[in-house]
């Protein structure tokens, strides 16, 4: 019997219209386009503006586009997993809000929080439902409205984040393509360096937590950078070794887009030339759960059936990991 694997059979993404440039940030905080560009590689990021809009609205755009291009009825979807750190509300899950807005009648859905590694955690989780043979059509969403939790007076942190969402369709395949392997890791002691202090059960919202700006991302950039550089590179090298992949076997690295220097270090460690690395951080910044599906969407028409692709991420938690995929379709068809 042939092994059942989970294959990505479609991808779509959405970034809101408004573009916040480094130039505009220069008018908001004490920074320069030059500092941001050389330290992070980011030139601009998209921001969701307007009353009553949230992460689910970007996710709905991505999912509706995905359903249309894969010719799928919302009723055929059996499971939706949404990776996000900026849910519309603490509960219910944003995945539930998306499935309702899209009109899915037969799906169960839940959110998954692994910060910037959330999309790969969700992808691997979803793949297990497919590999079990019980589920045939699963959507994995990665999306964040980071502008809702970014402190635009904190110049070290606010410059890196943006808003976006992406979604992929997962279906069973028996032709050898699909998700081949994954390595997911966590070190909870890293939470001291990157977290949101208030709004959870530890520090529920009070006038004091709001006044102290505790509902925003708290990030100690340097320690996070050090862990990210080492761990994202290590785990990517580890998945290559485990699967006996040489640099020449890999068609694409799809890295989480947090800082161009972290992406470059990972590519160097894997022995990959820049042409094989998906990089769009200059246009979108760090959209947390949105980065990897945004890249897959942007590069989709260059992807070929059988391409060896490595996804890699690092994020708050700390969480990190990599996923090895054999791409399942020719993206230009
Ligand atoms: O995606 C999830 C995980 N997150 C990450 O992977 C982020 C990892 N960290 C980073 O990418 C980097 O640490 C940052 C981009 C956040 C910050 O870059 P850095 O090179 O680590 O800067 P730093 O915090 O060490 O600050 C260096 C200097 C400081 O000045 P002094 O003390 O040397 O005089 C800062 O005050 O740069 C200053 N600085 C700025 N200057 C101009 C910090 N932010 C800015 C700014 N513009 N926006």
């Amino acid at each position: 019997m042939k092994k059942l694997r989970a294959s990505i059979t479609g991808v779509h993404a959405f970034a809101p219209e408004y573009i916040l440039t480094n130039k505009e940030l220069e008018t908001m905080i004490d920074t320069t386009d030059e500092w941001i560009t050389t330290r992070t590689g980011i030139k601009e990021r998209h921001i969701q503006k307007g009353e009553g809009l949230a992460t689910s609205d970007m996710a709905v755009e991505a999912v509706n586009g995905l359903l249309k291009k894969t010719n799928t009825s919302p009723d055929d979807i059996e499971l939706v997993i949404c990776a996000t750190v900026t849910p519309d509300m603490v509960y219910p899950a944003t995945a539930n809000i998306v499935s309702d807005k899209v009109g899915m009648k037969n799906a169960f859905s839940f959110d998954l929080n692994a910060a910037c590694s959330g999309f790969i955690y969700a992808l691997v989780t979803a793949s297990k439902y497919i590999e079990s043979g019980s589920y045939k059509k699963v959507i994995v969403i990665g999306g964040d409205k980071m502008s809702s939790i970014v402190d635009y007076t904190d110049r070290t942190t606010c410059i890196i984040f943006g808003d976006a969402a992406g979604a992929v369709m997962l279906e069973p395949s028996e032709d050898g393509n699909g998700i081949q392997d994954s390595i997911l890791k966590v070190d909870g002691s890293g939470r001291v360096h990157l977290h949101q202090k208030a709004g959870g059960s530890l520090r529920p919202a009070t006038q004091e937590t709001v006044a102290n700006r505790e509902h925003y991302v708290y990030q100690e950039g340097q320690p996070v950078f050090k862990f990210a550089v080492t761990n994202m590179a290590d785990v990517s090298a580890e998945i290559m070794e485990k699967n006996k992949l040489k640099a020449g076997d890999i068609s694409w690295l799809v890295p989480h887009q947090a800082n161009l220097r972290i992406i470059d270090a990972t590519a160097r460690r894997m022995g990959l030339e820049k042409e094989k690395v998906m990089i769009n951080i200059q246009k979108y910044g760090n959209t947390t759960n949105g980065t990897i599906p945004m890249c897959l969407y942007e590069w989709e028409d260059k992807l070929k059936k059988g391409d060896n692709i490595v996804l890699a991420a690092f994020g708050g938690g700390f969480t990190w990991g990599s996923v090895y995929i054999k791409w399942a379709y020719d993206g230009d068809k």
Side-chain angles (χ1 to χ4, degrees):
M1 210 175 88
K2 290 209 173 125
K3 187 170 164 50
L4 202 58
R5 294 187 192 275
S7 284
I8 295 177
T9 54
V11 53
H12 204 79
F14 174 82
E17 208 176 317
Y18 188 85
I19 295 174
L20 173 59
T21 61
N22 289 352
K23 282 278 160 218
E24 187 177 351
L25 278 172
E26 283 179 357
T27 68
M28 297 160 62
I29 45 169
D30 181 14
T31 193
T32 60
D33 171 45
E34 208 257 328
W35 191 96
I36 302 173
T37 307
T38 51
R39 292 286 174 143
T40 69
I42 302 167
K43 291 299 250 186
E44 56 192 37
R45 62 293 285 143
H46 290 239
I47 301 292
Q48 190 184 41
K49 296 253 184 188
E51 280 296 303
L53 292 174
T55 298
S56 72
D57 297 290
M58 295 186 289
V60 164
E61 293 283 349
V63 170
N64 276 333
L66 179 66
L67 291 172
K68 191 163 171 217
K69 76 197 279 190
T70 56
N71 221 351
T72 308
S73 157
D75 289 342
D76 292 340
I77 303 302
E78 299 158 301
L79 165 62
V80 180
I81 306 179
C82 179
T84 186
V85 292
T86 51
D88 289 21
M89 303 171 183
V90 175
Y91 65 89
T94 298
N96 306 0
I97 300 171
V98 174
S99 51
D100 176 53
K101 285 181 176 175
V102 170
M104 295 173 191
K105 296 278 179 278
N106 301 310
F108 83 102
S109 55
F110 60 89
D111 284 0
L112 186 151
N113 180 344
C116 294
S117 311
F119 181 77
I120 64 168
Y121 269 56
L123 189 68
V124 172
T125 304
S127 73
K128 304 302 171 194
Y129 285 88
I130 300 271
E131 288 165 11
S132 73
S134 310
Y135 292 81
K136 306 240 167 339
K137 282 194 195 292
V138 176
I139 288 181
V140 179
I141 302 166
D144 275 297
K145 180 179 180 171
M146 292 307 292
S147 61
S148 68
I149 55 166
V150 162
D151 181 352
Y152 286 98
T153 66
D154 173 2
R155 69 174 182 166
T156 321
T157 305
C158 75
I159 48 129
I160 68 174
F161 291 107
D163 303 338
V168 298
M169 183 78 74
L170 272 191
E171 294 182 80
S173 60
E174 287 183 317
D175 63 356
N177 291 318
I179 296 176
Q180 308 290 311
D181 195 17
S182 61
I183 303 172
L184 299 179
K185 303 204 181 196
V186 70
D187 176 358
S189 69
R191 68 189 183 281
V192 295
H193 303 297
L194 178 52
H195 57 265
Q196 191 173 312
K197 293 187 184 304
S201 55
L202 182 65
R203 283 182 70 70
T206 62
Q207 288 186 351
E208 190 197 351
T209 61
V210 172
N212 289 343
R213 311 184 83 77
E214 291 178 38
H215 294 269
Y216 293 121
V217 177
Y218 171 82
Q219 176 171 264
E220 294 161 6
Q222 281 207 7
V224 177
F225 183 89
K226 272 189 208 144
F227 276 94
V229 153
T230 315
N231 288 316
M232 205 162 108
D234 280 357
V235 79
S236 304
E238 192 181 336
I239 207 158
M240 285 175 73
E241 212 170 294
K242 198 173 154 210
N243 291 280
K244 302 188 173 41
L245 290 169
K246 300 267 174 295
D249 302 324
I250 294 172
S251 304
W252 295 100
L253 166 66
V254 193
H256 170 54
Q257 317 274 309
N259 188 315
L260 188 56
R261 291 182 288 147
I262 300 173
I263 296 172
D264 286 347
T266 304
R268 262 200 311 277
R269 180 74 192 279
M270 295 171 77
L272 295 182
E273 56 267 39
K274 219 158 187 180
E275 291 66 41
K276 288 184 169 183
V277 186
M278 296 187 192
I279 299 172
N280 60 13
I281 192 171
Q282 70 283 1
K283 291 192 287 185
Y284 302 107
N286 179 355
T287 58
T288 303
N289 286 285
T291 58
I292 289 177
M294 284 283 289
C295 281
L296 290 174
Y297 175 58
E298 202 169 328
W299 269 263
E300 185 187 22
D301 62 356
K302 295 190 177 57
L303 303 179
K304 296 267 169 290
K305 191 170 182 171
D307 274 356
N308 287 321
I309 297 181
V310 173
L311 317 182
F314 181 90
F318 292 134
T319 55
W320 67 102
S322 60
V323 181
Y324 164 36
I325 298 174
K326 271 191 185 295
W327 197 249
Y329 62 100
D330 290 327
D332 57 355
K333 299 232 168 86

